[in-house]
Amino acid sequence: MIRLFVNVDHVATIREARKTVEPSPLKAALLAEKAGAQGITIHLREDRRHIQDDDVRIIREGINTPLNLEMAPTEEMVKLALEIKPYQVSLVPEKRQEITTEGGLDVCSQEEALTEIGKRMHDGGILFSLFIDPDAKQVAASKRIKADSIEINTGKYTELELAEEIKLELERIQASAGRAAEIGLKVFAGHGLNYENVKFIAAIPEIEELNIGHFIVGQAVYGGMENAVTEMIRSIKEGRGNQL
Ligand code: PXP
């Protein structure tokens, strides 16, 4: 069975639009668990545009499934992870101006620094994962630096439009997943997945875990809109019947 980790970052994005307390990413995480999610993912970005430091603590304490913390390989984030101790840390590259994570981590060019971070994570009892593009060199480097797992970036696959290009990218993902599993890395995948494109990724047998966020939060808005408006109309009617 392939595990689904639901990323609740964009529940925090809506909350941060007003800098208030609703909607709560923890409440959304608990509902995701109720529906069968096997884990929760959050990305604490350097600019704190959605998830805040307190969210990491509150979600870590409040959920019943493992917490996967995505973060950039910086000293600030490493210290925070060692303090909060999520089940797993996934290192991602981060650029301040990007709208979302734009590509995989270049493991090859920073093996020494990443090895050190991995060692500190392992000493703290935290699993250590790397978000990489489907590239044999990055897979081999991930093994050299003793990562427990890789998360293959499916972003490019989800953005391509031509069938031939999609097929080629899927083959790259398959090959990287196969190679990684062969050399003893656990294989995860994510980015840009939706109800349709996830099917071809879920068909790759080596992939054990998927991280999906934006699409699920978007669908939740549609699914929840009717209930929320019905509730509001009920409250308005109830209020109209009351005397001040
Ligand atoms: N994996 C990583 C490393 C990510 O940075 C993200 C986005 O935060 C995801 C998976 C989930 O992508 P999406 O929100 O497009 O489902």
Side-chain angles (χ1 to χ4, degrees):
M1 181 58 190
I2 190 163
R3 296 183 295 274
L4 170 63
F5 275 53
V6 174
N7 180 319
V8 294
D9 289 351
H10 294 307
V11 177
T13 302
I14 300 174
R15 181 195 62 197
E16 290 306 304
R18 286 287 175 92
K19 300 264 172 229
T20 178
V21 294
E22 286 282 343
S24 149
L26 172 60
K27 205 164 155 184
L30 292 172
L31 288 169
E33 287 181 337
K34 201 170 153 204
Q38 286 101 339
I40 299 299
T41 293
I42 49 178
H43 183 175
L44 182 66
R45 294 190 73 100
E46 193 194 358
D47 64 7
R48 309 299 198 271
R49 67 175 73 156
H50 39 54
I51 293 293
Q52 308 294 307
D53 297 39
D54 272 353
D55 288 321
V56 185
R57 294 188 181 91
I58 290 166
I59 291 171
R60 163 78 175 82
E61 288 307 312
I63 61 174
N64 306 298
T65 57
L67 175 65
N68 172 39
L69 176 64
E70 291 175 1
M71 60 182 218
T74 64
E75 186 55 29
E76 181 200 14
M77 292 298 160
V78 167
K79 282 194 176 131
L80 209 124
L82 288 171
E83 179 214 322
I84 299 177
K85 292 211 189 306
Y87 156 82
Q88 177 172 277
V89 149
S90 299
L91 294 187
V92 298
E94 208 174 287
K95 293 185 218 133
R96 235 165 212 273
Q97 302 309 325
E98 70 190 357
I99 292 173
T100 181
T101 314
E102 280 172 355
L105 200 64
D106 184 5
V107 183
C108 304
S109 70
Q110 41 185 336
E111 287 191 29
E112 207 175 313
L114 296 181
T115 303
E116 179 58 25
I117 295 178
K119 188 175 172 319
R120 290 169 74 190
M121 290 301 124
H122 285 150
D123 288 348
I126 302 167
L127 290 175
F128 180 52
S129 190
L130 303 170
F131 180 65
I132 60 169
D133 290 329
D135 176 316
K137 288 200 290 295
Q138 300 296 343
V139 171
S142 301
K143 180 65 186 171
R144 280 198 300 277
I145 72 147
K146 299 191 170 60
D148 298 294
S149 56
I150 54 161
E151 178 185 352
I152 299 179
N153 178 12
T154 53
K156 184 173 175 199
Y157 153 72
T158 64
E159 281 165 13
L160 290 169
E161 288 176 5
L162 296 176
E164 193 50 35
E165 288 180 3
I166 295 172
K167 187 168 167 282
L168 278 177
E169 186 63 11
L170 261 179
E171 282 166 7
R172 270 185 215 114
I173 295 172
Q174 271 168 340
S176 294
R179 180 66 192 140
E182 224 172 73
I183 58 176
L185 287 162
K186 293 204 169 294
V187 187
F188 312 147
H191 215 278
L193 296 173
N194 61 31
Y195 294 146
E196 288 311 310
N197 61 24
V198 73
K199 293 177 186 170
F200 297 94
I201 297 298
I204 300 172
E206 291 86 2
I207 295 180
E208 298 180 30
E209 207 169 282
L210 294 175
N211 283 293
I212 308 181
H214 182 262
F215 183 78
I216 291 179
V217 174
Q219 293 302 301
V221 172
Y222 298 142
M225 185 59 85
E226 237 180 284
N227 272 344
V229 173
T230 305
E231 271 304 306
M232 185 53 81
I233 291 172
R234 202 194 323 272
S235 283
I236 292 169
K237 281 185 180 156
E238 201 183 304
R240 194 28 72 105
N242 286 342
Q243 298 296 323
L244 279 186

